[in-house]
Amino acid sequence: IGKIEAEKVDLQIASVNLKQLLENIIDSFEYRIQENNNEIHLTIDKNLPELVKCDNVRLSQVLINFIGNSIKFTKKAKIRLGIEILDQIDKSVNLRFSVRDNGPGIPKNKHARIFENFSQLDEKNNIDYQGTGLGLSIAKNLVELFDSKINLESEIGKGSEFSFDVILDVDTTTQIVPTPIKSESKA
């Protein structure tokens, strides 16, 4: 957080396959998803470009935080990670990333507070939910590096949706090399 607030963090732009990135993020949560009997579904806009230019590490950190919170605060729930195209102009694409769950929800009067450093919804009853209260604060700062902001829609008993929009350049120059299929030799 100190580095971000001191403006010492820059985005490291690289060519990224967003579909593969999102699938890898979901795979990294497999054990935790099963542990709480949750389900996670990936929804990807069918027109998503194969490659875009972005900071995949910072983008992953934000999405991992959102998914991690959904898993942490929901049991036997459905979580959806989605990416949709809002607009495509020339060689840029405006994308919305979202994580929705049908968990307990967040009271409207706490929406702004949860993005503050060291903030947790209910400290006295937070025994089951270990954490520092920095995750959403860091996510908020990282999303701001993408010139965006986090949108939160949540209601008690109806779940939560965290989303943000980013404009990324489409990578039309990188050649995608298919991974060769290894043939099995029989001895």
Side-chain angles (χ1 to χ4, degrees):
I1 286 192
K3 281 185 176 181
I4 294 171
E5 289 176 348
E7 298 179 9
K8 301 228 184 240
V9 175
D10 294 320
L11 295 177
Q12 302 299 312
I13 305 302
S15 184
V16 179
N17 180 319
L18 289 176
K19 181 178 187 278
Q20 185 176 23
L21 178 75
L22 299 182
E23 289 171 349
N24 290 342
I25 289 171
I26 288 175
D27 288 346
S28 72
F29 281 105
E30 186 175 339
Y31 174 75
R32 287 188 58 207
I33 290 168
Q34 292 174 3
E35 189 176 56
N36 286 349
N37 294 315
N38 289 323
E39 296 177 24
I40 190 163
H41 301 279
L42 179 59
T43 306
I44 298 176
D45 192 305
K46 66 178 180 171
N47 296 313
L48 182 69
E50 191 153 11
L51 296 173
V52 296
K53 294 179 181 179
C54 77
D55 186 328
N56 63 324
V57 173
R58 305 293 189 248
L59 180 61
S60 295
Q61 287 174 318
V62 172
L63 296 172
I64 286 169
N65 181 275
F66 292 166
I67 295 168
N69 281 343
S70 287
I71 291 169
K72 186 187 326 184
F73 296 109
T74 58
K75 293 189 185 337
K76 297 181 183 174
K78 294 186 179 177
I79 300 164
R80 183 186 63 80
L81 170 59
I83 182 171
E84 74 175 291
I85 296 175
L86 301 176
D87 195 17
Q88 191 160 1
I89 301 170
D90 296 324
K91 294 183 180 182
S92 294
V93 62
N94 187 1
L95 301 172
R96 174 165 295 151
F97 292 88
S98 61
V99 176
R100 173 179 284 287
D101 65 55
N102 62 349
I106 301 165
K108 290 209 182 292
N109 65 343
K110 306 271 183 168
H111 283 197
R113 182 173 176 244
I114 64 170
F115 294 103
E116 296 172 4
N117 291 345
F118 305 108
S119 177
Q120 296 176 335
L121 274 182
D122 189 1
E123 290 89 353
K124 65 181 180 240
N125 294 320
N126 205 24
I127 296 166
D128 291 339
Y129 307 119
Q130 301 294 320
T132 60
L134 288 172
L136 287 175
S137 175
I138 292 170
K140 175 184 173 276
N141 286 302
L142 291 175
V143 166
E144 288 172 354
L145 288 175
F146 284 99
D147 292 325
S148 187
K149 67 181 181 98
I150 296 174
N151 299 305
L152 170 61
E153 292 180 27
S154 185
E155 195 173 322
I156 294 295
K158 296 187 177 182
S160 302
E161 179 177 68
F162 290 85
S163 66
F164 60 98
D165 303 344
V166 294
I167 298 173
L168 302 173
D169 291 332
V170 176
D171 184 351
T172 57
T173 60
T174 303
Q175 294 294 323
I176 300 169
V177 180
T179 305
I181 300 172
K182 295 181 183 178
S183 60
E184 294 181 31
S185 59
K186 296 185 180 182

